[in-house]
Amino acid sequence: MRPIEDTYRHKGLRKKLVEVVRGKGITSEGVLNAIHAIPRHFFLDSAFDELAYEDRAFPIGEGQTISQPYTVAYQSQLLEIKKFEKILEIGTGSAYQAVVLAELGAQVYTIERQKKLFEANKGFAFLKKYPTIKFFYGDGYEGLPTFAPFDKVIITAAAPDIPQKLIDQLKTGGMMVIPVGAGEVQQMKRITKLENGALKEEVFDRFSFVPMIEGRKG
Ligand code: SAH
């Protein structure tokens, strides 16, 4: 069961979480405001009600996780979202990251390969508040050619390599934020598509994500 009440206690815990995330080096006020605004406990089973505001990843079923708030903030900050930008997210999971992007004013297109997780979001009433998020059941490796090009692409699962099809769906000047690595630990990278078609690669900190897997799972 999902909780539906957002109490003063939750709001207080959220304020503390914002300070924890800020303390770890996040400086974007927009991103910190989004974390402050979004009731993260809504995205978890009520069994996690007390824990939802710890800076940790938690299980959301099907062997998947809701990312750690610091990680969500880190990727969101690297994306440098501007209002009305069109963003492609790979790995909807709990939809928390998608809602952070929507709070930043983005138009979000998010893909999930696991049918059960995709269906769970259909029944998640809170998401009705965010008509700027479009949900897709599919293989993120294919992206969404019909809706391309995108201003930004965010991958929220560990990719062994940078998927070329997703680079193709980026606008010139667009950026992709992606944790790259086949092992337990990945390197966060930001790829910018330059005017001449070349790619600029910047390397950031190490993180640990669940793997990006090819194909859909019914
Ligand atoms: N953004 C999520 C993080 C979920 S964990 C959140 O905020 O909660 C990563 C998710 O990526 C999992 O749900 C997993 O099923 C999904 N995933 C892995 N490979 C994928 C692929 N090829 N296409 C789409 N989703 C994928």
Side-chain angles (χ1 to χ4, degrees):
M1 278 283 287
R2 287 182 190 276
I4 48 165
E5 245 194 314
D6 189 24
T7 64
Y8 281 111
R9 178 172 158 68
H10 291 121
K11 292 187 175 101
L13 290 171
R14 213 139 70 225
K15 223 172 190 149
K16 283 191 190 147
L17 174 62
V18 167
E19 292 318 313
V20 167
V21 170
R22 193 197 295 276
K24 290 182 180 176
I26 301 299
T27 53
S28 161
E29 289 302 324
V31 170
L32 294 168
N33 283 342
I35 290 177
H36 188 232
I38 304 165
R40 187 174 187 245
H41 65 291
F42 284 5
F43 295 74
L44 293 162
D45 188 90
S46 52
F48 292 100
D49 197 71
E50 288 290 307
L51 294 169
Y53 295 103
E54 289 190 8
D55 189 25
R56 286 172 49 190
F58 289 105
I60 54 169
E62 309 307 307
Q64 304 305 320
T65 53
I66 178 172
S67 300
Q68 187 179 340
Y70 170 66
T71 308
V72 171
Y74 194 97
Q75 286 195 288
S76 304
Q77 177 165 292
L78 284 181
L79 279 172
E80 296 177 359
I81 303 288
K82 292 172 200 74
K83 275 208 171 112
F84 310 117
E85 277 185 336
K86 229 169 109 183
I87 315 293
L88 174 64
E89 181 196 21
I90 311 302
T92 314
S94 68
Y96 181 76
Q97 171 75 73
V99 169
V100 169
L101 299 174
E103 281 283 346
L104 289 166
Q107 309 278 332
V108 185
Y109 295 75
T110 182
I111 314 180
E112 174 56 54
R113 69 177 286 276
Q114 296 224 31
K115 187 119 198 214
K116 278 196 185 152
L117 296 179
F118 171 77
E119 296 289 343
N121 284 329
K122 273 196 191 167
F124 183 8
F126 176 71
L127 297 178
K128 302 277 181 285
K129 265 187 70 179
Y130 296 92
T132 53
I133 308 176
K134 307 265 182 288
F135 294 86
F136 298 85
Y137 166 54
D139 178 6
Y141 275 101
E142 298 299 322
L144 291 171
T146 327
F147 297 93
F150 296 94
D151 294 292
K152 312 272 166 72
V153 176
I154 172 174
I155 320 274
T156 69
D161 307 290
I162 293 160
Q164 183 59 42
K165 284 186 186 168
L166 301 184
I167 293 286
D168 294 343
Q169 293 175 33
L170 259 186
K171 284 185 193 168
T172 299
M175 297 196 301
M176 171 188 288
V177 171
I178 177 171
V180 185
E184 290 280 297
V185 176
Q186 299 85 43
Q187 197 86 52
M188 193 66 76
K189 293 189 176 178
R190 182 167 65 185
I191 314 293
T192 308
K193 197 176 194 174
L194 304 175
E195 292 287 339
N196 61 3
L199 302 177
K200 176 175 110 182
E201 185 177 303
E202 297 167 279
V203 179
F204 298 92
D205 294 326
R206 290 170 188 273
F207 289 87
S208 196
F209 285 78
V210 296
M212 182 169 172
I213 300 170
E214 268 187 81
R216 291 198 299 191
K217 183 168 182 283

